[in-house]
Amino acid sequence: MALREGDLVVIWIDPRRVYLARVEGGKKLETDKGFINLGDLIGKEYGDVVKISKGLAFVMRPSLDYIYAGLHRPSQVLYPKDIGYMIFKSGISPGDIVVEAGTGSGFLTISLAHFLGDRGRVITYDVREDMQEKARKNVNFLGYSDRVEFKIGDVREKIEERDVNAVFLDMPDPWLAVNNAYKALKPSGVLVVFVPTTNQIEKTYFSMKEIGYANVEVVELILREYQVKENATRPRSIGVAHTGYIITGRKSIKGSSEIT
Amino acid sequence: MALREGDLVVIWIDPRRVYLARVEGGKKLETDKGFINLGDLIGKEYGDVVKISKGLAFVMRPSLDYIYAGLHRPSQVLYPKDIGYMIFKSGISPGDIVVEAGTGSGFLTISLAHFLGDRGRVITYDVREDMQEKARKNVNFLGYSDRVEFKIGDVREKIEERDVNAVFLDMPDPWLAVNNAYKALKPSGVLVVFVPTTNQIEKTYFSMKEIGYANVEVVELILREYQVKENATRPRSIGVAHTGYIITGRKSIKGSSEIT
Amino acid sequence: MALREGDLVVIWIDPRRVYLARVEGGKKLETDKGFINLGDLIGKEYGDVVKISKGLAFVMRPSLDYIYAGLHRPSQVLYPKDIGYMIFKSGISPGDIVVEAGTGSGFLTISLAHFLGDRGRVITYDVREDMQEKARKNVNFLGYSDRVEFKIGDVREKIEERDVNAVFLDMPDPWLAVNNAYKALKPSGVLVVFVPTTNQIEKTYFSMKEIGYANVEVVELILREYQVKENATRPRSIGVAHTGYIITGRKSIKGSSEIT
Amino acid sequence: MALREGDLVVIWIDPRRVYLARVEGGKKLETDKGFINLGDLIGKEYGDVVKISKGLAFVMRPSLDYIYAGLHRPSQVLYPKDIGYMIFKSGISPGDIVVEAGTGSGFLTISLAHFLGDRGRVITYDVREDMQEKARKNVNFLGYSDRVEFKIGDVREKIEERDVNAVFLDMPDPWLAVNNAYKALKPSGVLVVFVPTTNQIEKTYFSMKEIGYANVEVVELILREYQVKENATRPRSIGVAHTGYIITGRKSIKGSSEIT
């Protein structure tokens, strides 16, 4: 399947130079290793290698981890290691409806939209309109606008949806929103919370237990990257040592406080 | 939505007592905390709490992490932390086609079937027919049989499929199958390999580089569980310290050896 | 140098069967792998292998990590990984004087006595006399009684010593003792605190900053054990995932609050 | 005790600005935060705070972890977390004799000299004379020259000492020196090896088992630093993710291969 005008591509030069772009006649992608005429990609295929001034570039099919690397994004964003686990634990499947707050850079929004498929739906809340504009552009660029509904609003005050499959909270004070999340969830639906500090763990955990979530769990994932060389394989010396903690729990209809 | 004869449920008593069952008149689920008449669940709802001889049990909607906890399985099985990351990195989306080997207990098979949705397809190879029978039962029990094709065969010798979106290998000598995986993959498709030992990393990595995968990465995920008590929150003392390493790479059409 | 009546030995059968004993005619060491007549060790040497009913045992010279493994001790005890780091960071050298609280099983006491040598001195406080009796027996058994002074007392109320080189606190509420530790320390002397929970970190840290410690640092050490097999080397599957956090700081004469 | 001409001091400005210096009239210590006339320190005390152009500096008594921070050193050096554990496991006590190779920057040499005290002795081998010159300067500067003997030589070919308490190896191919280390050690003496890659683990481990070391263990230590803020305590985001693996074993007189 040859690439055509308008197709999304990832231009991959090396692990630090990953660009998300669209095939478009007359447009250029500039990098510090040289430029690519995006119109020249017409007729190429995903997987092809193209020349740039200072080497080669790989034309890849966009996928979540390249989108992660290629999105213009603010400094704080959820990492693939955390998102993978959060989605797994949330129990969601294609076609489900989920609520998320805050929108942030929109990377979790996009990941959810990706896994929910074209019959699924993400409702994403943020209190800041400017942040959502950036996320909206990212969502539109990837063609996921039909799957995502943007709302300006404070989930600590209200979540309008009911009977959703899962709620994801990545915000400074999630314990103030766990009650509204409870109301929004289907029975047996999952609340997934991400917090960076130890102090937030306890507040969130006890709010969840009090309100009626069961099976509340707290975990942390540490990712180590390995560098592989013949006879000299080892973890990389320097790396991300911490992102945050993931807290999950399930809505029980009643009496969950009696259950640990 | 009241539960009916034939519905799948998870009976959750505590983190170590999680059972996957089907609502069925005249059948019992026996546990060391007491039994439940599975017919009595008719009319209950997901999220409900029911009494058992020695306490309470929670009737939950099945989701991947409960299936993980509730499946009868052999001792070695991929962990949620690894599967979440593997699926994220694989780039798969609902409706895709993937190849997997070996089938093992079928838990990765089920996870893939879950995320690929009803239009997706998993082709799973194993050399051992007896193993696949167990996995097949698990897949059927969950209602995913339309999404999964079981094949007895050795992927080191042949993978019959072509143009698949991703290939997952969890087998003792994956380096002998990376070439067949390459042939099976679409350009830009992702190979995901899981291996438990450091020795397997190097063999797999260099085979992948040689054959023409680009962006080959090796990571390890360490999960720490936290116990939360008021004013005494800390990681659990004892835990799983190691499962394995995840290696990922992308099929490039040509010249990838020039690209790191 | 042949072993003589009264010499200390470690009888090492395997990593889980490590015994601290004394060469003594007419005495037996009983284990679930068989017994050893401790008088038969006279004339043997450190490093020798002796037969027991169900295999072999290794006669080793006592050293800290065997003492750790061989001491009769209550369940909670500092681990070698933490003690090694604590001693390194404390800046102590042979001949120094240190204060410690609480005594607990006496393993840190013994480790300090070991590294301070025969001209050094450990003053160890505990509020419980029964605990100290156990520690005192351990200290005497190892021949370190001249290096250790036991005191029944509450360091939250008073530390009598002055001008000590370092203070070690392993107690539930160390923040209540950091001021007394400050008075006991020489200028530039080091306070080393061990706490198991995240909540204790903050209380200790801010008390230390307020009182006048500089260069306050908090770390955690995660130890992973590896199992080595030919072509199958990997971290052990299950292990100790958490022991505690180590907080260190230095006494400054004044103005330290202006210094981070 | 007021500082006098010739005394060693650590000038501590912040965790990244730690300087090892000597009180000396007419000399200056220059830093990017301003300078200090080292003669002005006469009459000050350890623990004092002094003004520099752009803030304050703390005058500290030298101790191992400041020496670590303040030494001019090549990029690769053992970390405190590893040295603390290595020394603990080695079983050494004040007055012991140990062999070390290679000398490298001399930081392990200095740490060993520190813990062995003035009656102890470190014999340190390196094949490179230029490296040893640097280490020798560091050792002299700290006043430890009586405790350390420098030898130019290859421990893979010969270790001249006999009956030493412990041997420490930090070199690219330690498996070629474990036999000479065995000859140098007292029975029940400990060999401690540090290697950065997974490949070196296996070679070292199996050489040690074959030659007659018992109780061979392999561990890795991961250190996480915490940043403490009120209500926002968490591990630092970026950190050292890997240094190396520590392998330890004990010389048995015979038959150790029968013991695991």
Side-chain angles (χ1 to χ4, degrees):
Chain A
M1 294 190 302
L3 289 170
R4 292 175 305 181
E5 180 89 14
D7 281 347
L8 273 178
V9 291
V10 166
I11 304 298
W12 190 89
I13 300 174
D14 60 45
R16 286 179 210 296
R17 292 178 178 85
V18 182
Y19 305 93
L20 194 57
R22 203 176 280 287
V23 178
E24 195 176 344
K27 276 236 170 162
K28 255 186 200 178
L29 174 77
E30 308 261 11
T31 83
D32 65 336
K33 291 281 187 182
F35 68 90
I36 291 172
N37 286 316
L38 291 168
D40 292 354
L41 297 177
I42 294 169
K44 296 273 178 191
E45 287 183 59
Y46 289 130
D48 268 345
V49 177
V50 297
K51 279 190 190 166
I52 53 173
S53 331
K54 297 178 195 168
L56 297 168
F58 192 24
V59 182
M60 284 173 167
R61 186 189 308 274
S63 77
L64 279 184
D65 67 324
Y66 288 123
I67 290 165
Y68 169 72
L71 275 186
H72 288 280
R73 60 178 190 268
S75 59
Q76 262 189 323
V77 68
L78 284 169
Y79 279 66
K81 72 175 172 85
D82 295 314
I83 292 185
Y85 188 79
M86 289 163 75
I87 288 178
F88 188 96
K89 291 290 284 187
S90 72
I92 60 170
S93 48
D96 278 0
I97 298 172
V98 307
V99 164
E100 174 211 24
T103 307
S105 65
F107 184 56
L108 177 58
T109 323
I110 288 164
S111 301
L112 291 168
H114 175 91
F115 282 113
L116 293 175
D118 52 18
R119 292 171 294 179
R121 192 156 189 81
V122 185
I123 298 98
T124 181
Y125 286 84
D126 208 300
V127 288
R128 290 178 51 185
E129 209 158 338
D130 56 332
M131 280 299 280
Q132 274 209 340
E133 273 320 295
K134 190 147 212 165
R136 190 192 295 270
K137 269 180 205 153
N138 287 333
V139 166
N140 290 348
F141 186 73
L142 292 165
Y144 286 162
S145 47
D146 286 356
R147 307 180 185 183
V148 179
E149 181 175 350
F150 289 90
K151 291 194 173 178
I152 303 297
D154 188 340
V155 292
R156 294 171 301 183
E157 284 163 20
K158 192 174 188 184
I159 297 178
E160 296 169 332
E161 290 68 27
R162 288 294 176 270
D163 261 340
V164 305
N165 299 85
V167 174
F168 294 81
L169 299 178
D170 174 16
M171 54 188 289
D173 44 12
W175 53 89
L176 300 178
V178 298
N179 196 25
N180 286 337
Y182 187 88
K183 291 182 199 156
L185 283 167
K186 271 190 188 171
S188 192
V190 177
L191 172 61
V192 180
V193 181
F194 180 88
V195 293
T197 76
T198 59
N199 311 70
Q200 293 163 301
I201 294 174
E202 232 169 86
K203 287 179 189 162
T204 306
Y205 180 91
F206 287 114
S207 301
M208 286 174 70
K209 296 287 279 186
E210 198 185 311
I211 282 161
Y213 291 90
N215 193 201
V216 183
E217 293 177 353
V218 182
V219 305
E220 169 189 29
L221 280 168
I222 302 172
L223 182 139
R224 298 177 95 195
E225 296 180 274
Y226 279 70
Q227 64 184 53
V228 184
K229 287 188 192 158
E230 199 144 13
N231 277 319
T233 293
R234 44 170 289 173
R236 284 191 201 288
S237 301
I238 305 293
V240 173
H242 178 73
T243 57
Y245 306 96
I246 298 166
I247 308 168
T248 52
R250 290 214 158 212
K251 177 177 181 168
S252 76
I253 292 179
K254 56 178 177 276
S256 71
S257 65
E258 301 162 64
I259 296 197
T260 45
Chain B
M1 292 191 305
L3 289 170
R4 292 176 304 185
E5 178 90 14
D7 282 346
L8 273 179
V9 291
V10 166
I11 303 300
W12 189 90
I13 299 174
D14 60 45
R16 287 179 210 296
R17 292 180 179 82
V18 183
Y19 306 92
L20 193 58
R22 203 176 282 286
V23 177
E24 195 177 344
K27 276 234 171 165
K28 257 186 198 179
L29 174 76
E30 308 261 12
T31 84
D32 64 336
K33 291 280 187 185
F35 68 91
I36 291 172
N37 287 316
L38 292 168
D40 291 354
L41 298 177
I42 295 169
K44 297 274 179 190
E45 286 183 61
Y46 288 129
D48 267 345
V49 177
V50 296
K51 278 192 190 163
I52 52 173
S53 332
K54 299 178 193 168
L56 296 168
F58 193 22
V59 182
M60 285 172 165
R61 187 187 308 274
S63 78
L64 279 185
D65 67 325
Y66 288 124
I67 290 165
Y68 169 71
L71 273 186
H72 287 279
R73 59 180 190 268
S75 59
Q76 263 190 322
V77 68
L78 284 168
Y79 279 65
K81 72 175 172 84
D82 294 314
I83 291 185
Y85 189 79
M86 289 164 75
I87 287 177
F88 188 96
K89 292 290 283 187
S90 73
I92 60 170
S93 47
D96 279 359
I97 297 172
V98 307
V99 164
E100 173 211 24
T103 308
S105 65
F107 183 55
L108 176 58
T109 321
I110 288 163
S111 300
L112 290 167
H114 175 93
F115 282 113
L116 293 175
D118 52 17
R119 291 171 295 179
R121 190 157 191 79
V122 186
I123 298 97
T124 183
Y125 285 84
D126 208 300
V127 288
R128 288 177 53 185
E129 208 157 337
D130 56 332
M131 282 298 280
Q132 276 209 339
E133 273 320 295
K134 190 148 210 163
R136 189 192 296 269
K137 270 180 205 154
N138 286 333
V139 166
N140 289 348
F141 186 72
L142 292 165
Y144 285 163
S145 47
D146 286 355
R147 307 179 185 183
V148 179
E149 181 175 349
F150 289 91
K151 289 194 174 180
I152 302 299
D154 188 339
V155 291
R156 295 171 301 184
E157 282 162 23
K158 192 172 187 183
I159 298 178
E160 296 170 333
E161 289 69 27
R162 289 294 176 269
D163 263 339
V164 304
N165 298 87
V167 174
F168 294 80
L169 299 178
D170 175 17
M171 53 190 288
D173 44 12
W175 52 89
L176 299 179
V178 298
N179 195 27
N180 286 337
Y182 187 88
K183 290 182 200 157
L185 283 166
K186 271 191 190 172
S188 194
V190 177
L191 173 62
V192 179
V193 181
F194 180 88
V195 292
T197 76
T198 60
N199 310 71
Q200 292 163 303
I201 293 175
E202 231 169 87
K203 287 179 190 162
T204 306
Y205 181 90
F206 287 114
S207 301
M208 286 174 69
K209 296 288 277 187
E210 198 186 310
I211 283 162
Y213 291 89
N215 194 198
V216 183
E217 293 176 355
V218 182
V219 306
E220 168 189 30
L221 280 167
I222 301 171
L223 181 140
R224 296 177 98 195
E225 295 180 273
Y226 279 70
Q227 64 185 54
V228 184
K229 290 189 191 157
E230 199 142 16
N231 278 318
T233 292
R234 44 170 290 176
R236 283 191 201 289
S237 302
I238 304 292
V240 173
H242 178 73
T243 57
Y245 307 97
I246 298 166
I247 308 168
T248 53
R250 288 215 160 214
K251 177 176 181 170
S252 76
I253 291 179
K254 56 179 175 273
S256 71
S257 63
E258 302 162 64
I259 295 194
T260 45
Chain C
M1 292 191 304
L3 289 170
R4 291 177 304 183
E5 178 88 15
D7 282 346
L8 273 178
V9 292
V10 165
I11 304 298
W12 190 89
I13 299 174
D14 59 45
R16 284 179 212 296
R17 291 179 180 84
V18 183
Y19 305 91
L20 195 57
R22 202 177 281 288
V23 176
E24 196 177 343
K27 275 233 171 166
K28 257 186 199 180
L29 175 76
E30 308 261 12
T31 83
D32 65 337
K33 292 281 187 185
F35 68 90
I36 291 173
N37 287 315
L38 291 168
D40 292 354
L41 298 177
I42 294 170
K44 297 273 179 192
E45 287 182 59
Y46 288 130
D48 267 345
V49 178
V50 296
K51 279 191 190 162
I52 52 172
S53 332
K54 297 178 195 168
L56 296 168
F58 192 23
V59 181
M60 284 171 166
R61 186 187 309 274
S63 79
L64 280 183
D65 66 325
Y66 289 124
I67 290 166
Y68 169 71
L71 276 186
H72 287 280
R73 58 179 191 267
S75 58
Q76 262 189 324
V77 68
L78 285 168
Y79 279 65
K81 72 174 174 82
D82 294 315
I83 291 186
Y85 188 79
M86 289 163 76
I87 287 178
F88 189 96
K89 292 290 283 186
S90 72
I92 59 168
S93 47
D96 278 1
I97 297 173
V98 307
V99 165
E100 174 212 23
T103 308
S105 66
F107 184 55
L108 177 57
T109 321
I110 289 164
S111 301
L112 291 167
H114 175 91
F115 282 115
L116 293 175
D118 51 17
R119 291 172 294 180
R121 191 156 190 81
V122 185
I123 298 97
T124 182
Y125 286 84
D126 209 299
V127 289
R128 288 177 53 187
E129 209 160 335
D130 57 332
M131 281 299 279
Q132 274 208 339
E133 274 319 295
K134 191 150 211 162
R136 189 192 295 271
K137 270 179 206 153
N138 288 333
V139 166
N140 290 348
F141 186 72
L142 292 165
Y144 285 163
S145 47
D146 286 354
R147 308 180 183 182
V148 181
E149 183 174 350
F150 290 90
K151 289 193 175 181
I152 302 298
D154 188 338
V155 292
R156 295 171 302 184
E157 283 162 21
K158 190 170 188 185
I159 297 178
E160 296 169 332
E161 289 68 28
R162 288 295 175 270
D163 262 339
V164 305
N165 298 87
V167 174
F168 294 82
L169 299 177
D170 174 17
M171 53 190 287
D173 44 12
W175 52 89
L176 299 180
V178 298
N179 195 26
N180 286 337
Y182 186 87
K183 290 181 199 158
L185 283 167
K186 272 191 187 170
S188 193
V190 177
L191 173 61
V192 179
V193 182
F194 180 87
V195 292
T197 76
T198 60
N199 310 70
Q200 293 163 303
I201 294 174
E202 232 169 86
K203 286 179 191 162
T204 305
Y205 180 91
F206 287 115
S207 301
M208 286 174 68
K209 297 287 277 187
E210 199 186 309
I211 283 163
Y213 291 89
N215 192 199
V216 184
E217 295 176 352
V218 182
V219 307
E220 168 189 31
L221 281 167
I222 302 172
L223 181 139
R224 298 177 97 195
E225 296 179 273
Y226 279 69
Q227 65 185 54
V228 184
K229 288 189 192 158
E230 198 144 15
N231 277 317
T233 293
R234 44 170 288 176
R236 284 191 202 288
S237 303
I238 304 293
V240 173
H242 178 72
T243 57
Y245 307 97
I246 297 165
I247 309 169
T248 53
R250 288 215 160 213
K251 176 176 181 170
S252 75
I253 291 179
K254 55 179 176 274
S256 72
S257 65
E258 302 162 63
I259 296 196
T260 46
Chain D
M1 295 190 301
L3 289 170
R4 292 176 303 182
E5 179 89 15
D7 281 347
L8 274 178
V9 292
V10 165
I11 304 298
W12 190 89
I13 300 173
D14 60 43
R16 286 179 210 295
R17 293 179 179 83
V18 182
Y19 305 93
L20 194 57
R22 203 177 279 287
V23 177
E24 194 177 346
K27 276 235 169 163
K28 256 185 201 180
L29 174 77
E30 309 261 11
T31 83
D32 65 336
K33 290 282 187 183
F35 68 90
I36 291 172
N37 287 316
L38 291 168
D40 291 356
L41 298 177
I42 294 169
K44 297 272 179 192
E45 286 182 61
Y46 289 129
D48 266 346
V49 178
V50 298
K51 279 192 189 162
I52 52 173
S53 332
K54 297 177 195 169
L56 296 168
F58 192 23
V59 182
M60 283 172 167
R61 186 189 308 274
S63 78
L64 279 185
D65 67 323
Y66 288 125
I67 290 166
Y68 169 71
L71 275 186
H72 289 280
R73 57 177 192 267
S75 59
Q76 262 189 322
V77 68
L78 284 169
Y79 280 65
K81 72 175 172 84
D82 295 314
I83 291 185
Y85 189 78
M86 289 163 75
I87 287 178
F88 188 95
K89 291 291 283 188
S90 72
I92 60 170
S93 48
D96 278 0
I97 298 173
V98 308
V99 164
E100 174 212 24
T103 308
S105 65
F107 184 55
L108 177 57
T109 322
I110 289 162
S111 301
L112 290 168
H114 175 91
F115 282 113
L116 293 175
D118 51 17
R119 290 172 294 180
R121 191 158 190 79
V122 185
I123 297 99
T124 182
Y125 286 83
D126 208 298
V127 289
R128 289 179 51 188
E129 209 158 338
D130 57 332
M131 281 299 278
Q132 275 209 340
E133 274 321 295
K134 192 149 210 161
R136 189 192 295 270
K137 269 179 205 153
N138 287 334
V139 166
N140 290 347
F141 186 72
L142 292 164
Y144 285 163
S145 47
D146 287 354
R147 306 181 185 181
V148 181
E149 182 176 349
F150 289 91
K151 291 194 173 179
I152 303 297
D154 188 339
V155 292
R156 296 172 300 185
E157 283 163 21
K158 191 171 187 184
I159 297 179
E160 295 169 331
E161 289 68 28
R162 289 295 175 271
D163 261 340
V164 305
N165 299 88
V167 174
F168 294 80
L169 299 178
D170 175 15
M171 53 189 287
D173 43 12
W175 52 89
L176 299 180
V178 299
N179 196 26
N180 286 336
Y182 187 88
K183 290 181 200 158
L185 283 167
K186 269 189 191 172
S188 192
V190 177
L191 172 62
V192 179
V193 181
F194 180 88
V195 293
T197 75
T198 60
N199 311 70
Q200 293 163 301
I201 294 174
E202 232 170 86
K203 286 179 190 161
T204 305
Y205 181 90
F206 287 114
S207 300
M208 285 174 70
K209 297 287 277 187
E210 198 186 310
I211 282 162
Y213 291 90
N215 194 200
V216 183
E217 295 177 354
V218 183
V219 307
E220 169 190 30
L221 281 167
I222 301 172
L223 182 140
R224 298 177 95 194
E225 296 180 273
Y226 278 71
Q227 65 185 52
V228 184
K229 288 187 191 159
E230 199 142 14
N231 277 318
T233 293
R234 43 168 289 174
R236 285 192 199 289
S237 302
I238 304 293
V240 173
H242 179 71
T243 58
Y245 307 97
I246 297 166
I247 308 168
T248 52
R250 288 215 160 210
K251 177 176 179 168
S252 75
I253 292 180
K254 56 179 177 271
S256 73
S257 64
E258 301 160 64
I259 296 196
T260 45

